[in-house]
Amino acid sequence: MKINNPLSSFFLILFFSILFDLCIANDVMLHNVVNFGAKPNGKIDSSNAFLTAWDLACGSTKPSTIYVPRGNFLVKQVHFRGKCNNSEIIFRIDGTLVAPFDYNVIGNEKNWIFFQGVDGVSIVGGSLDGQGSGLWTCKASEKNCPSGATTLGFSNSNNVAITGLTSLNSQMFHIVINGCKNVKLQDVKVYAPGKSPNTDGIHVQLSSDISILDSIISTGDDCVSIGPGTSNLWIQNIACGPGHGISIGSLGKDFEEAGVRNVTVRSVIFKDTQNGVRIKTWGRPSTGFVNNVLFQHVTMIDVENPIVIDQNYCPNNKNCPGQVSGVKVSDVTYQDIHGSSATRVAMKFDCSKRNPCRGIKLEDVNITYKNEPAAQASCANVAGTTTGIIQPTSCL
Ligand SMILES: *[C@@H]1O[C@H](CO)[C@@H](O)[C@H](O)[C@H]1NC(C)=O
Ligand SMILES: *[C@@H]1O[C@H](CO)[C@@H](O)[C@H](O)[C@H]1NC(C)=O
Ligand SMILES: *[C@@H]1O[C@H](CO)[C@@H](O)[C@H](O)[C@H]1NC(C)=O
């Protein structure tokens, strides 16, 4: 067959592309999950279709796109494993992945949608609905409930981008980045009720070169939680609330623990949250540390504990000999933090007796309580400096 007309050759390619599920535009392989049996009706288990698409994308030596069209796709636990034969796999999602309504189906898994050992994976758009409310009700009634799955987990992966994704009603954490390098989350939306238990928005640990940008997080636990071994983390332009704020910690639960270094939190609005910017460590021995942190341009709206370092965390007072934290906190700057506290103590530094906080800097902090200059600061085992306006009056 000879084809001279470029238009007809275009249609010929398009025809074969649809037939074989391979779109050859720009040499990218396109795999539409519907072509592997995924059903957009929210009822038929589509897990295998997703796994088949992944195997093709991962096995290909060319960049590949997995496409999820509009509709609701019921997906059970899926594990997307590397190492792959190419380092550019895009999940382009127009629809919603829905977890099973019965929380027991994935409730004992650590992760619902789990990527492990991948390089160069992007998720663009789409929604993930964890259907967590049944499990939260179970937990509230103190029955014997599964602990619940993280909605989206990336472990031991590099060069990951998550853009325009919405996570709804996770059973446990929404998104966990663990053991990764170079991950960018942007335009992410996280929604769960303020009373949903342990539904942290984005949790980062043992990872470096991570950015979380331009995102909205409304949930029942920390909007962002930062675990041991995190370095070079940049968080900017976030709306947090309801939720428990942005928290470095809890750290120092284990004796041998990697530290947290070089964290920037800039241009964040906290509204009706339990905490604003927090550093939290267990009151027990540890090799951990927190060093070089900047909280900058932060607005607090009726936040219960706007600025807090708490080194005496010890639920049920168990295994905290002497209530002394080994975690060394140093070089933490609070710059241009303003707004309102929902409680009288707007600034609280409760540091370790053995390892006092060092290098705490306050610059232009103005937090009011009930529209009066009645807010207070409280200090224990902390040293630092202040510049500019500081309200409530500093206790450093
Ligand atoms: C990568 O390509 C090789 C050779 O074509 C193949 O044997 C292998 O199974 C592929 N890897 C994956 C993860 O599919
Ligand atoms: C701190 O992290 C930022 C990214 O968040 C990076 O650009 C910068 O180079 C890091 N600084 C050091 C001293 O590692
Ligand atoms: C602190 O903020 C309040 C409310 O915005 C404002 O009325 C007050 O003048 C500020 N205080 C200082 C010292 O700038």
Side-chain angles (χ1 to χ4, degrees):
M1 181 166 57
K2 192 162 182 295
I3 300 153
N4 295 323
N5 180 341
L7 199 64
S8 66
S9 71
F10 172 78
F11 280 113
L12 199 68
I13 289 169
L14 195 66
F15 172 74
F16 280 108
S17 300
I18 291 163
L19 202 64
F20 295 114
D21 179 58
L22 306 175
C23 181
I24 305 157
N26 304 324
D27 236 18
V28 172
M29 315 296 273
L30 181 78
H31 307 289
N32 185 334
V33 293
V34 166
N35 293 354
F36 306 110
K39 294 280 182 284
N41 61 11
K43 294 198 178 80
I44 289 177
D45 179 12
S46 296
S47 311
N48 284 333
F50 280 76
L51 292 171
T52 304
W54 173 260
D55 286 345
L56 285 171
C58 182
S60 162
T61 51
K62 296 209 174 89
S64 300
T65 294
I66 296 169
Y67 179 58
V68 182
R70 280 168 184 273
N72 292 328
F73 295 87
L74 176 64
V75 175
K76 296 181 182 167
Q77 203 252 357
V78 281
H79 190 162
F80 302 115
R81 273 192 194 83
K83 194 173 181 208
C84 296
N85 278 343
N86 73 85
S87 52
E88 193 183 335
I89 298 179
I90 302 172
F91 260 90
R92 195 152 65 76
I93 311 178
D94 285 337
T96 300
L97 278 61
V98 183
F101 179 76
D102 175 0
Y103 55 78
N104 291 300
V105 177
I106 61 165
N108 287 308
E109 307 285 352
K110 264 204 144 5
N111 296 273
W112 170 33
I113 297 163
F114 187 40
F115 291 84
Q116 192 180 32
V118 300
D119 183 14
V121 168
S122 309
I123 299 178
V124 181
S127 298
L128 308 175
D129 183 352
Q131 302 236 63
S133 65
L135 179 61
W136 312 331
T137 307
C138 177
K139 286 182 172 177
S141 68
E142 289 171 47
K143 274 188 293 184
N144 207 2
C145 316
S147 55
T150 288
T151 282
L152 174 65
F154 275 89
S155 276
N156 306 321
S157 297
N158 298 333
N159 309 315
V160 171
I162 300 172
T163 309
L165 178 76
T166 301
S167 175
L168 301 167
N169 298 334
S170 57
Q171 291 188 344
M172 273 278 284
F173 291 9
H174 288 263
I175 299 172
V176 171
I177 306 299
N178 172 44
C180 296
K181 198 167 162 43
N182 190 23
V183 178
K184 181 174 180 181
L185 296 104
Q186 191 163 23
D187 289 320
V188 169
K189 295 181 179 68
V190 167
Y191 301 111
K195 285 197 160 65
S196 54
N198 303 115
T199 52
D200 293 42
I202 300 168
H203 177 78
V204 180
Q205 64 178 22
L206 299 172
S207 296
S208 60
D209 302 310
I210 311 297
S211 54
I212 303 171
L213 311 172
D214 309 324
S215 294
I216 298 171
I217 303 173
S218 303
T219 194
D221 208 303
D222 296 334
C223 288
V224 180
S225 52
I226 299 156
T230 302
S231 61
N232 301 355
L233 169 63
W234 191 278
I235 298 173
Q236 184 166 351
N237 202 12
I238 307 290
C240 165
H244 293 182
I246 293 181
S247 187
I248 298 179
S250 308
L251 302 178
K253 183 162 195 256
D254 297 322
F255 178 72
E256 284 285 339
E257 199 181 85
V260 172
R261 191 196 303 273
N262 187 17
V263 174
T264 302
V265 176
R266 176 187 281 179
S267 303
V268 176
I269 299 178
F270 296 95
K271 186 165 189 294
D272 298 323
T273 52
Q274 186 194 73
N275 308 290
V277 290
R278 175 170 65 165
I279 297 173
K280 179 180 170 189
T281 78
W282 285 69
R284 46 191 286 177
S286 175
T287 60
F289 63 85
V290 177
N291 174 245
N292 188 13
V293 176
L294 173 62
F295 298 112
Q296 194 183 42
H297 310 315
V298 174
T299 303
M300 308 279 179
I301 305 171
D302 293 330
V303 172
E304 282 174 47
N305 308 292
I307 293 177
V308 50
I309 298 180
D310 172 10
Q311 292 210 260
N312 287 301
Y313 180 61
C314 192
N316 309 319
N317 279 316
K318 267 180 82 177
N319 301 325
C320 303
Q323 242 347 88
V324 171
S325 176
V327 177
K328 296 172 185 64
V329 177
S330 60
D331 298 323
V332 182
T333 301
Y334 301 85
Q335 197 178 57
D336 181 25
I337 316 281
H338 58 270
S340 58
S341 175
T343 67
R344 192 172 290 276
V345 179
M347 226 181 332
K348 182 176 171 185
F349 301 107
D350 184 6
C351 294
S352 167
K353 272 198 290 276
R354 186 160 310 149
N355 302 290
C357 297
R358 291 183 296 112
I360 306 299
K361 295 185 198 68
L362 297 172
E363 287 180 42
D364 296 318
V365 174
N366 180 6
I367 303 171
T368 59
Y369 171 63
K370 293 193 167 160
N371 293 323
E372 298 161 27
Q376 294 173 2
S378 113
C379 284
N381 310 310
V382 54
T385 56
T386 66
T387 42
I389 295 159
I390 306 296
Q391 143 103 41
T393 307
S394 167
C395 54
L396 289 178

